Every structure is written in C-alpha cells, then in structure tokens.
Amino acid sequence: ITLPAYLLFFLGIILAYGLIFPFTFRFLATYQVADSVPNLISLQSYISTLIMLSFCMGVVFLLPIICFLLGKMGLLSRDMMTIYRRHAIVAILVIAAIITPTADVFTLLLVSLPIYILYEISILLVPIKKYWNKDWGKNIRIMYEKNIKDKKDKNYDKRDEKKSFVFVVVINKNI
C-alpha cells in the first residue's frame, strides 16, 4: 500500500506542477481589478501558491488508497459509493473550488476532473462485500430496543452498558 500511495501522491504533485499551476499562474498574472491597480506577483506568493496547490493535489490523489482501506475495514462499500455518486460530485466540486486559488471555471474543471476519475477508480478498488445497506439505521434501532429489553433482566450489569451499545453499532452490520 505504501508504494501505490507514494506514486499516487507524486502523480498528484506532477499534475499540479505541470498542468494546473501554469494555468493558475497565467490567470493570476493577467487578472486585473482595475487599470490603476498594478498586478504584482511576489516570489513568496508564487512559491506559496505552488506548494499549496501541489500538496493539496498530492493528498487528494490518495483518494483510492483511503477508499480501499475504508472498504477493507467495512466502513465503505461499492454499493454505497455508487448510490451516493451525485453527492460525491458536488463534494468534489467544492473541494476543487477550495484547492484552486483562481475564480475561473477552466481551472476548477482541471482540478475536479482528475478527482472524479480517481473517485471512479476508487469504486472499482473497494471490495464488493455487502457491509452497508439502506436499513442500517433501522437495524440499529431494533438492536437497541432488544438491548433495552435485556436491561430489564435481573442479571443486567450496569458496567456493560457502554460495551453493549458499541457492540450493537459495530456488530449490527451483519443483520
């Protein structure tokens, strides 16, 4: 997992440095508020923008690795990712808008398109196991009500209360 994560991180940095940053810098260099306001780009702002953009794209490119690990832990499933694809697209556009320092749509699409492709690759990497279902909340409620009935039993120990609720939340995925 470390080698693919390392490669994906540097692929994100290369994409940011070679493709996204030149467009961003060109936009920032040609953008003027008014003719009387000079557009001055300092070396400090140039380097900070380059480092911020490169680091953010490197971290975002770790999305398939993070989704794979969450899938292996049982917290994420392929079905869940396909059902919530529309929500993910909105989240991807918001993240891309935060990453890009410019206000142009072209740079926003340049950042969001690779993230969306990585999301689709992540769907393929997540195991197919059916840990998640739409009735998960209802099943938790049923198990919690069963737990309350067990509390009325004479042999119930108060110290097991926290353990039993955690048990309900974690084990309930197998119902």
Side-chain angles (χ1 to χ4, degrees):
I1 286 186
T2 56
L3 182 65
Y6 182 76
L7 293 174
L8 282 172
F9 184 80
F10 277 107
L11 184 66
I13 289 175
I14 289 169
L15 181 75
Y17 180 74
L19 185 66
I20 297 170
F21 185 71
F23 286 109
T24 302
F25 185 71
R26 187 176 303 129
F27 178 80
L28 290 174
T30 59
Y31 182 75
Q32 281 192 325
V33 178
D35 291 335
S36 62
V37 178
N39 190 5
L40 300 174
I41 298 175
S42 66
L43 182 62
Q44 181 182 0
S45 67
Y46 178 88
I47 290 177
S48 67
T49 303
L50 175 66
I51 289 173
M52 185 270 311
L53 188 64
S54 298
F55 180 74
C56 288
M57 286 302 290
V59 169
V60 165
F61 265 61
L62 295 176
L63 180 69
I65 303 294
I66 293 168
C67 289
F68 175 75
L69 291 175
L70 289 175
K72 282 291 193 184
M73 291 188 321
L75 299 173
L76 194 62
S77 73
R78 191 178 289 186
D79 294 337
M80 184 175 128
M81 289 181 76
T82 54
I83 289 172
Y84 288 106
R85 182 178 278 133
R86 289 180 291 176
H87 303 284
I89 291 171
V90 172
I92 287 169
L93 289 173
V94 168
I95 290 169
I98 292 170
I99 290 174
T100 56
T102 61
D104 63 331
V105 178
F106 183 71
T107 309
L108 178 76
L109 291 176
L110 252 159
V111 173
S112 62
L113 186 65
I115 300 173
Y116 177 72
I117 292 170
L118 287 170
Y119 182 78
E120 292 297 328
I121 291 170
S122 299
I123 290 175
L124 298 175
L125 290 178
V126 171
I128 300 178
K129 297 177 185 174
K130 293 246 182 185
Y131 285 119
W132 182 84
N133 61 12
K134 291 181 182 176
D135 298 328
W136 199 66
K138 184 174 77 173
N139 292 336
I140 288 176
R141 184 179 47 80
I142 291 169
M143 290 297 289
Y144 185 70
E145 288 172 0
K146 181 181 175 196
N147 191 17
I148 290 175
K149 288 178 187 175
D150 291 341
K151 286 182 184 178
K152 293 178 183 177
D153 190 18
K154 294 178 184 178
N155 297 327
Y156 179 73
D157 188 10
K158 289 263 186 195
R159 290 176 288 175
D160 293 334
E161 188 171 324
K162 288 183 181 178
K163 293 179 190 173
S164 63
F165 184 70
V166 171
F167 176 77
V168 167
V169 172
V170 173
I171 300 301
N172 189 32
K173 292 187 270 186
N174 297 325
I175 292 179

